[in-house]
Every structure is written in C-alpha cells, then in structure tokens.
Amino acid sequence: MRWVVTGAAGMLGREVVDLLRGNGSEVVARSRADLDVVDPRACRDAVAGADVVVNCAAATAVDAAESDEAGAFAVNATGPRNLAVAAAAAGARLVQVSTDYVFDGRAVAPYRVDDPTGPLSAYGRTKLAGEWAAASADAGALVVRTSWLYGEHGGCFPKTVVRLGRARGALSVVDDQLGQPTWAADVARVLRDLVLAGAPAGTYHATAGGRTSWWEFAGAVLASAGLGDVVLTPVGSAQYPTAAPRPACSVLDTGRLGEVGVTAPGPWRERWERAAVAVLA
Ligand SMILES: NC(=O)c1ccc[n+]([C@@H]2O[C@H](COP(=O)([O-])OP(=O)(O)OC[C@H]3O[C@@H](n4cnc5c(N)ncnc54)[C@H](OP(=O)(O)O)[C@@H]3O)[C@@H](O)[C@H]2O)c1
C-alpha cells in the first residue's frame, strides 16, 4: 500500500509519517515546500500512484484566520478539494483531518459524528468547508475530526505551559472551555487503523476520552514537569480575549471508531501521562 502524506512537516504529519515508516509501509512525505495543496496540478502529480492520501496540511493559526479567511479557505477547503479530486482520479482514498471547531460548543452531551455543525470562527468554517469538499469529490473519503492536539514536533499547549511556568512561576489559564487534549501519536494510529480496517466512507471522531478544561490540563502538565509549585489560577475566557471565539464545550463522541473495529484513544489524563516524557523532552 502506497501512502502519500501532505503537511508532512507539521505536528500530526510527522507522527503519521513516522508511524507508517516504522511499520514498513511505503510512504511519500510531502511538506509544504514539496507540495502546496492549493495547487491542483501539483496535487494531481503528487497523488498519482498512491493508494491512500492523508491530508495533514492545514492553516492552523485559529486567530490569524479571522483576518484572512480567504487565505485559510484556500488551504483548508480548496486544498482538500484538490486532493480529493486527485485521489478520486487516481483510485486512491483521501483521509481528511478536521477539527472539533466545526461545532458551536453549546451541546451538553459529546458531539456525535452526524450532529449539526455550527462553527464559531473563520478557522472552523474553512475546516468544515474542507470536510464537504473532501466528501463531495472523493466518495471514499474518510473525514477524521480531532481536538486539542499536542505532540513531540513543533509548538503545543503543554510546551507553552512549561516554558511560561518556569519563566513566571505563576499562570492564569481559562477554565470555561472544555475539550479533550489528544496526543498526535494516538491520532496517527487511528488514521492508519481506519484505513487498514477498510472503514466505510464518512466522518469519524478521534480524540482522547473524558473531558477537561485548559486549566485542569495545565495542572496535569505542570505536575508531569515537576512544576507543581507554579501558581495556577483559573480565569474565564472573557478575561482572555482572542480574535477567534472558541467553543465552550467541544467534546467529541468517538463511538463510531468502535463500530468499525478501531480502538479509540484512552482517557486524556492516562494518555498525557504516557506522552509527557516525549512531548516535554
Ligand atoms: N493542532 C490542534 O490542536 C488541532 C486540533 C484539531 C484539529 N487539528 C487538525 O489537525 C491537522 C494537523 O494539524 P497540526 O496540528 O499538525 O498543524 P501544523 O503543525 O500547523 O501542521 C500543518 C502543516 O500544514 C502545512 N501547510 C500550511 N499550508 C500549506 C499548504 N498550502 N500546502 C501544504 N502544506 C501546508 C504547514 O506548513 P507551515 O508550518 O510551513 O505553514 C504545517 O507543516 C489539521 O487538519 C488541523 O486542522 C489540529
């Protein structure tokens, strides 16, 4: 099976490439420098001969997208469209990675894959458009939503918490946004397993289990880093304004993974404790 991974230099892309290579799969890794997903011809050339295309390329700067929605749309929606068209022409299967930010965060129960969407931000709108683009151009496409990613490669929330905790000795972190911190390595494993399981086309959720706030997660991170003496103050989102509004509660229901024989990532705290040494190294 020949895999093409786009956005291969990003946090998730690197995990996907490493996992597949570790399993001895044939992997073509395309970073932004090798393949701009906005270019349809380049996508067609890159996807020729592939069996599976895993699209990890995205414009992920959530706040920046508010002032450049067209730019984010090009990467997050036109990009998947280009890859889906190319995948369909090549007889390959597209795996499109998406986000909890397609939801408005007002639900009490975890969002199921077919619950109504309602993005609050430009980033969320462009990612939702990417889901539609992928599914409409490639009948076999898998759309996999994840959330609150952290990992070894590149910046992420735990690394920022440790850096600022060390530097300042005190941190204020929002406690009124609930979600699921999820290890990029776990998502990479789910993406691979969905493909190997021959999962039916459609949408899946791939997040760690349970739910927490950024404040509680920061506490777990500081404990793992031996920084339990850092003063950690919970604050409301209103005290920490950002350009893009965030969903208040974007917990995703991963139940569909089990229905197709794929194991969901475990509880967020257990997964964090397993990941911490590598992520904070
Ligand atoms: N990070 C999270 O918390 C989170 C949460 C939910 C869902 N997701 C989704 O997970 C996926 C992977 O995100 P990530 O966290 O790995 O993000 P990331 O580290 O920012 O990786 C995205 C990669 O895409 C590349 N890219 C940007 N524009 C491109 C273009 N036009 N053509 C090709 N590549 C391009 C970026 O390159 P440059 O760095 O050079 O721009 C970067 O290497 C995305 O679909 C994202 O929406 C992420």
Side-chain angles (χ1 to χ4, degrees):
M1 194 179 269
R2 187 168 196 257
W3 302 70
V4 170
V5 180
T6 61
M11 175 164 54
L12 179 60
R14 288 184 64 177
E15 294 287 357
V16 172
V17 170
D18 289 350
L19 176 73
L20 293 171
R21 287 199 172 137
N23 290 346
S25 301
E26 185 186 353
V27 186
V28 179
R30 293 277 181 249
S31 69
R32 183 180 197 162
D34 314 313
L35 172 64
D36 179 352
V37 296
V38 177
D39 179 342
R41 182 181 296 249
C43 287
R44 199 184 58 205
D45 292 347
V47 166
D51 299 301
V52 185
V53 180
V54 184
N55 181 26
C56 298
T60 54
V62 175
D63 291 315
E66 293 299 309
S67 53
D68 182 18
E69 186 159 353
F73 188 93
V75 183
N76 293 341
T78 307
R81 160 90 190 160
N82 291 339
L83 292 167
V85 168
R93 176 164 224 198
L94 176 64
V95 182
Q96 170 63 20
V97 181
S98 193
T99 171
D100 55 323
Y101 283 15
V102 299
F103 292 113
D104 67 14
R106 295 194 185 101
V108 179
Y111 285 101
R112 296 173 57 84
V113 292
D114 49 3
D115 278 344
T117 51
L120 301 176
S121 62
Y123 169 74
R125 287 190 291 275
T126 64
K127 291 294 293 182
L128 182 59
E131 294 187 2
W132 294 336
S136 64
D138 176 6
L142 297 169
V143 171
V144 184
R145 297 181 184 133
T146 188
S147 73
W148 293 25
L149 283 187
Y150 60 83
E152 270 180 70
H153 308 295
C156 60
F157 177 80
K159 293 180 190 178
T160 305
V161 163
V162 168
R163 178 169 45 82
L164 295 180
R166 277 208 181 102
R168 299 180 184 171
L171 289 176
S172 297
V173 180
V174 296
D175 71 342
D176 58 357
Q177 292 170 28
L178 301 179
Q180 297 151 302
T182 300
W183 190 12
D186 282 338
V187 179
R189 197 264 305 156
V190 169
L191 299 178
R192 179 202 63 188
D193 289 355
L194 281 167
V195 172
L196 296 183
T203 305
Y204 295 82
H205 290 165
T207 58
R211 69 175 67 190
T212 188
S213 68
W214 289 113
W215 173 76
E216 187 183 16
F217 183 33
V221 169
L222 291 170
S224 298
L227 294 171
D229 55 340
V230 170
V231 178
L232 190 57
T233 305
V235 295
S237 300
Q239 288 172 261
Y240 185 72
T242 52
R246 267 68 172 172
C249 181
S250 56
V251 176
L252 305 185
D253 179 334
T254 59
R256 195 175 179 201
L257 294 180
E259 291 167 17
V260 298
V262 172
T263 306
W268 72 266
R269 190 182 288 276
E270 175 209 304
R271 297 315 291 157
W272 164 251
E273 286 170 359
R274 168 78 180 73
V277 170
V279 172
L280 299 179

